[in-house]
Amino acid sequence: MNKETTFYKDLQKAEGLDLRDNRGKRHNLAFILLGVIIGLLRKRDGNLSSIHRSMVNTHKKLCTHLNVEIERAVSRAQLPRILCKVSLVKFEELLFEHFVIELDKEEKQWFAGDGKELRGSIEKGSKRGEALVQLVRHEDGAVLGQSRYDGKKESEKPCLRNLVEAQNAQTQKITADALHLYPAMTKLIEQAKGVFMIGLKGNQAELLEDMLWHTNNNEPLASHDTLDKGHGRLEQRYYSYFDVSKEYFDKRWDTTNFRSLFRVVRQRTFLKTGDHSEETAYYISNACLPKPIESSEEYFDAIRNHWSVEVNNHVRDVSLNEDNFRTKKTCYQDDGWFTYPRH
């Protein structure tokens, strides 16, 4: 509980966190925010009512641990009114300071990098809005770091690359979508002795054509298949690993050191209708697998676990109904920005 108590003290003394008018303040903001965090850690992140129930259920124990006297938890009606008066930028800084992931260069961890457009920020007549980019650990969905960019002016590519560098994650194992397969990203990770596994699609047409030729003319060195049933469908995946270290690559990839290619064939059968679909995906990596049979399954699992970022985005979109929120106004601060949602 020492970590939580320290977090509580920092919440109490954090300047610029509480945006409420000093007149008529009745509720302890630090105590409320700590209750919200505990609710999230208890996996009550489906909706605000679930988080509030957690706050009510843990209220007495939390008061005892913190040695404070607060008669009752804040009401469900008052909770969103208080939360909208919190500086999200300052709160985010405190969260990452206290819930930081320790990186070990020797024992690398898998992180998925991806972006999500905040559709509620798209202005009428525009096609793009603000976007959030995260680095999420495969193992438990913990967020290593996040950044934002304006989709009307900026791109996800440099945003994720800068985030990887800022978090020193280039020494780790990174999975990313095909958008991020370009020399500046792969060079950053390769030179730091990290590992990347990035989707390969038509945006790198020549490279894709060469890798398709390789898979058509060479046998895989390792393979694996899985069968899953859920969400009304049967899904079978066939994984294959190819060593491409001796293939010729264009000069622009000289600093990348491609060594491995992974192919995934996904076959889906929808149980109610009997409809069938199939797709094939490719991932390229600088990973060296001296013992393909023994070590390839880690990389097959990493491909599957890349969806951890998509799960985070699904929670934001569907469970929290974020895409239906609309921005009333955007407040810019010296160290970032945050928005007030229109209810």
Side-chain angles (χ1 to χ4, degrees):
M1 198 66 190
N2 291 336
K3 187 75 169 180
E4 294 173 355
T5 304
T6 303
F7 181 49
Y8 177 64
K9 288 180 179 178
D10 281 354
L11 285 172
Q12 288 178 303
K13 65 184 182 181
E15 295 183 6
L17 177 66
D18 192 345
L19 303 178
R20 294 177 297 173
D21 193 310
N22 286 327
R23 295 170 295 180
K25 285 185 181 178
R26 294 174 47 210
H27 298 284
N28 183 332
L29 181 64
F31 186 83
I32 291 172
L33 291 178
L34 187 57
V36 170
I37 292 298
I38 291 173
L40 293 173
L41 293 175
R42 297 178 72 210
K43 301 186 182 300
R44 301 296 183 87
D45 56 351
N47 55 60
L48 196 58
S49 293
S50 180
I51 293 173
H52 181 259
R53 284 194 296 272
S54 171
M55 294 172 67
V56 171
N57 294 335
T58 59
H59 180 78
K60 289 184 178 179
K61 289 184 179 179
L62 190 56
C63 287
T64 301
H65 280 296
L66 297 177
N67 195 26
V68 297
E69 293 184 8
I70 299 177
E71 185 177 353
R72 62 175 65 90
V74 64
S75 70
R76 170 63 179 84
Q78 194 68 18
L79 181 58
R81 296 172 186 168
I82 294 173
L83 293 180
C84 75
K85 295 295 184 179
V86 175
S87 168
L88 300 185
V89 173
K90 188 65 181 179
F91 190 41
E92 180 184 282
E93 289 177 0
L94 290 169
L95 283 175
F96 280 110
E97 179 181 342
H98 284 269
F99 294 91
V100 66
I101 297 173
E102 297 292 338
L103 296 180
D104 186 337
K105 293 183 181 180
E106 302 303 321
E107 187 177 349
K108 303 179 189 300
Q109 304 176 66
W110 282 105
F111 291 92
D114 198 16
K116 172 202 179 317
E117 194 159 54
L118 305 176
R119 296 181 191 175
S121 68
I122 301 176
E123 298 175 355
K124 187 175 181 179
S126 299
K127 295 182 179 179
R128 303 298 303 274
E130 303 291 346
L132 183 71
V133 176
Q134 292 184 326
L135 278 171
V136 178
R137 186 161 57 187
H138 285 202
E139 179 185 358
D140 53 10
V143 178
L144 174 64
Q146 67 181 27
S147 185
R148 307 176 180 87
Y149 68 93
D150 184 347
K152 297 189 292 292
K153 306 172 187 176
E154 303 162 304
S155 167
E156 181 181 315
K157 291 169 65 177
C159 186
L160 179 58
R161 185 180 73 248
N162 292 337
L163 178 60
V164 167
E165 193 166 16
Q167 297 296 328
N168 200 30
Q170 65 268 30
T171 63
Q172 303 296 305
K173 299 177 180 178
I174 305 294
T175 60
D177 295 335
L179 172 67
H180 301 285
L181 182 59
Y182 64 106
M185 174 66 93
T186 54
K187 176 183 177 181
L188 172 68
I189 300 172
E190 166 64 18
Q191 290 192 339
K193 297 183 179 179
V195 174
F196 63 80
M197 182 154 57
I198 305 178
L200 174 59
K201 291 184 177 179
N203 60 323
Q204 298 291 351
E206 290 185 11
L207 179 59
L208 176 60
E209 183 180 355
D210 290 344
M211 294 301 97
L212 289 175
W213 182 92
H214 182 94
T215 60
N216 291 332
N217 291 275
N218 293 273
E219 291 295 321
L221 299 183
S223 58
H224 180 64
D225 64 271
T226 61
L227 180 64
D228 298 298
K229 182 179 178 181
H231 304 288
R233 66 174 181 259
L234 197 65
E235 181 169 298
Q236 188 138 19
R237 298 184 179 218
Y238 300 91
Y239 298 88
S240 303
Y241 158 71
F242 300 85
D243 182 353
V244 295
S245 58
K246 293 182 174 58
E247 290 292 324
Y248 169 79
F249 295 98
D250 190 83
K251 247 183 134 177
R252 66 194 293 257
W253 301 110
D254 279 354
T255 56
T256 292
N257 204 7
F258 290 131
R259 297 185 185 95
S260 301
L261 180 71
F262 301 89
R263 180 180 64 196
V264 186
V265 179
R266 302 182 182 95
Q267 295 179 345
R268 297 185 181 93
T269 302
F270 295 88
L271 301 178
K272 284 188 176 180
T273 63
D275 292 341
H276 182 79
S277 67
E278 180 175 312
E279 63 176 335
T280 303
Y282 295 89
Y283 299 84
I284 197 163
S285 174
N286 64 336
C288 178
L289 277 63
K291 296 181 179 179
I293 302 297
E294 291 85 348
S295 53
S296 58
E297 285 197 26
E298 176 192 349
Y299 292 86
F300 297 154
D301 288 342
I303 293 172
R304 182 69 185 270
N305 290 335
H306 179 69
W307 66 274
S308 56
V309 170
E310 299 301 328
V311 170
N312 269 20
N313 292 342
H314 177 81
V315 169
R316 299 172 69 93
D317 289 340
V318 181
S319 300
L320 300 180
N321 207 26
E322 185 176 87
D323 280 352
N324 289 331
F325 289 175
R326 288 295 177 267
T327 303
K328 186 174 183 180
K329 62 180 178 178
T330 301
C331 296
Y332 291 87
Q333 299 182 345
D334 292 339
D335 54 348
W337 61 266
F338 62 95
T339 59
Y340 291 112
R342 181 189 300 154
H343 296 285

